[in-house]
Amino acid sequence: MARSAAGGSVITLRPGTVEDIPSFVELGRAVVPPTYGPIDEAYAQRMLDEWWIPAVFEKSLARNRHLVAERDGEVAALATFGRLTESYRDFPDVTGEREVMWKLYVHPAHQGLGIGSRLLAEIEALVEGDELWLEVVDGNDRAVGFYEAHGFTEAERSADPRWPDDVWFKKVLG
Ligand SMILES: CC(C)(COP(=O)(O)OP(=O)(O)OC[C@H]1O[C@@H](n2cnc3c(N)ncnc32)[C@H](O)[C@@H]1OP(=O)(O)O)[C@@H](O)C(=O)NCCC(=O)NCCS
């Protein structure tokens, strides 16, 4: 897959496989606490315990597409996407089908180099529908700024009294 240079290093995008699962778990441990800890520490821990674990990656690899960005041969970021109805999660608040980017996570050591933008552009080119959706945890203002700068707008909100809201963003692909 495509290569590019960032900060003097080489960025390569490739599909993720089950062999990447240990790297995905490690990426979660590096990126989830600084991203979600300031919003809700218990929620950040729940994410690591329930979602960033090998068993969940095995399920998601079987159902969704995974894109890995490597920087100089090291896993630097993960993005995943697929149809809502193919998710292993339930979405009682949502009706209809949608193409969703489930994850976009760049390791803190590699943020701000254009890797997130590269992964997003690749996914926009790969999805089949004419819209791309994603969920942002309420309070993740940096991610909201990033997505708004890339043409996404807030569309819906799912509330759960125990946790921060999930905010759905949508982009119409041109
Ligand atoms: C949000 C995230 C995916 C962005 O990826 P990244 O590789 O760091 O971002 P990039 O280097 O590609 O940034 C690209 C552009 O977005 C812009 N941008 C980033 N954050 C922004 C913000 N808060 N407001 C406005 N623009 C922003 C940058 O200025 C940059 O623009 P430029 O290329 O024109 O200078 C990454 O920082 C990350 O993984 N964060 C933690 C995990 C997370 O929150 N993931 C999203 C879960 S929904």
Side-chain angles (χ1 to χ4, degrees):
M1 234 180 246
R3 294 160 73 91
S4 73
S9 46
V10 176
I11 307 297
T12 312
L13 304 192
R14 62 165 175 83
T17 72
V18 287
E19 280 161 27
D20 293 310
I21 290 176
S23 301
F24 294 163
V25 171
E26 211 177 298
L27 174 66
R29 289 191 187 130
V31 74
V32 167
T35 303
Y36 299 106
I39 301 169
D40 183 331
E41 214 157 311
Y43 185 78
Q45 192 59 48
R46 175 188 177 219
M47 283 180 107
L48 286 180
D49 294 344
E50 293 187 13
W51 298 330
W52 287 80
I53 57 173
V56 168
F57 281 113
E58 278 161 25
K59 276 199 270 185
S60 72
L61 280 158
R63 288 165 173 258
N64 304 314
R65 295 177 73 179
H66 290 51
L67 267 186
V68 171
E70 288 185 352
R71 183 180 181 199
D72 295 336
E74 299 284 322
V75 172
L78 168 66
T80 72
F81 64 104
R83 288 170 194 268
L84 185 92
T85 53
E86 282 163 12
S87 173
Y88 53 86
R89 286 166 56 198
D90 289 328
F91 294 89
D93 297 350
V94 177
T95 48
E97 186 60 294
R98 55 182 66 166
E99 295 270 5
V100 184
M101 183 168 72
W102 298 111
K103 278 189 171 62
L104 177 61
Y105 287 88
V106 181
H107 189 289
H110 309 298
Q111 291 175 6
L113 296 173
I115 295 175
S117 301
R118 280 272 314 280
L119 284 165
L120 177 58
E122 186 77 13
I123 287 174
E124 288 181 13
L126 289 170
V127 293
E128 286 165 11
D130 53 8
E131 287 177 354
L132 180 61
W133 290 74
L134 54 87
E135 279 179 300
V136 182
V137 172
D138 193 26
N140 190 356
D141 298 335
R142 181 158 181 228
V144 168
F146 172 83
Y147 291 129
E148 286 180 341
H150 286 80
F152 285 83
T153 51
E154 181 174 336
E156 293 167 11
R157 219 164 239 270
S158 307
D160 177 330
R162 292 167 300 171
W163 304 110
D165 288 357
D166 282 326
V167 187
W168 282 97
F169 279 75
K170 170 173 96 166
K171 179 175 181 177
V172 177
L173 305 174

